[in-house]
Amino acid sequence: MIKDVEYNIRNDAVLHADFFVPAADEKLVYTYKVQLVGNAAGVLKGGFLVKRVPEIKVQATIGNLPERVVVDVSALNVGDEILVKDLNLGKDVTILTNGEASLVSIAPAR
């Protein structure tokens, strides 16, 4: 895993990276950016997609950490929302972000 990265301030090229290897049974806390995929049905009907929580924190061993967090918004209609607790990242992954926080919602047109 990457611990730290040093960038060139002129062109953003990577100058140096520090790596570490955690123990297989060590629980790590990792922050993921939430990736939204799909075209929400509510947006196609005139609603607006509102992104609320851009990233979440999870805790798991290195072998159980997900590669990324992807949320499909295709089924959302106007007034619907997806909460953090609705994510299914596996039984060995603990989500540390508040479960009642809204990841994304569809707001009605004004």
Side-chain angles (χ1 to χ4, degrees), residues 67-100:
E67 187 175 320
R68 63 184 155 225
V69 175
V70 179
V71 176
D72 185 10
V73 297
S74 301
L76 291 180
N77 282 306
V78 176
D80 291 347
E81 68 179 346
I82 297 177
L83 303 176
V84 171
K85 68 181 180 182
D86 296 333
L87 294 175
N88 183 10
L89 302 178
K91 64 181 174 102
D92 297 325
V93 178
T94 304
I95 299 175
L96 301 176
T97 304
N98 180 5
E100 295 300 320

Side-chain angles (χ1 to χ4, degrees), residues 37-53:
V37 295
N39 294 320
V43 172
L44 298 174
K45 296 175 184 172
F48 295 98
L49 182 78
V50 180
K51 300 175 189 176
R52 304 218 184 249
V53 175

Side-chain angles (χ1 to χ4, degrees), residues 20-34:
F20 76 100
V21 179
D25 60 345
E26 180 182 356
K27 295 249 183 180
L28 302 172
V29 175
Y30 200 77
T31 301
Y32 288 92
K33 290 190 183 231
V34 178

